[in-house]
């Protein structure tokens, strides 16, 4: 199945988060990395609200992990932009 971006969804699905760092297991970028965003956009193409809710749950988990490991590095605005902000476009 194609993502609509010239890359297979199977390839994009490999870009998952490694906890507790929330970096991509494939490219080591902060998750969701660009390939993960493409995959999520394709999978939730008809359910943008569902995508936002799903990412809110993951954002909560990422913040909780960071609070346990490096609480001084938690900036809610950064987490919102990283996990939720890009879904509105």
């Amino acid at each position: 199945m194609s993502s609509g971006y010239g890359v297979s969804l199977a390839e994009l699905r490999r870009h998952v988060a490694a906890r507790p760092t929330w970096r991509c297991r494939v490219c080591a970028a902060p998750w969701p990395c660009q390939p993960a965003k493409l995959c999520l956009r394709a999978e939730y193409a008809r359910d943008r609200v569902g995508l936002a809710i799903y990412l809110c749950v993951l954002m909560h988990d990422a913040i909780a992990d960071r609070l346990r490991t490096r609480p001084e590095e938690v900036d809610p605005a950064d987490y919102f932009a990283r996990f939720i902000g890009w879904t509105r476009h």
Side-chain angles (χ1 to χ4, degrees):
M1 179 177 207
S2 173
S3 65
Y5 297 98
V7 179
S8 74
L9 279 176
E11 178 64 28
L12 295 176
R13 282 190 184 111
R14 295 180 49 230
H15 291 262
V16 295
R19 290 181 72 172
T21 62
W22 288 86
R23 296 191 77 75
C24 177
R25 292 183 185 269
V26 174
C27 64
W31 195 92
C33 59
Q34 194 59 36
K37 289 176 182 178
L38 290 174
C39 182
L40 290 164
R41 279 190 194 275
E43 289 181 345
Y44 285 86
R46 293 187 172 94
D47 188 9
R48 290 180 61 176
V49 172
L51 173 60
I53 291 168
Y54 174 65
L55 288 171
C56 281
V57 171
L58 296 181
M59 179 181 71
H60 177 272
D61 290 348
I63 290 171
D65 285 347
R66 182 57 67 156
L67 284 171
R68 281 192 293 280
T69 60
R70 300 186 137 198
E72 67 281 358
E73 294 182 7
V74 174
D75 180 352
D78 287 345
Y79 277 87
F80 179 85
R82 178 175 161 187
F83 282 84
I84 311 300
W86 64 271
T87 65
R88 295 188 291 177
H89 301 285

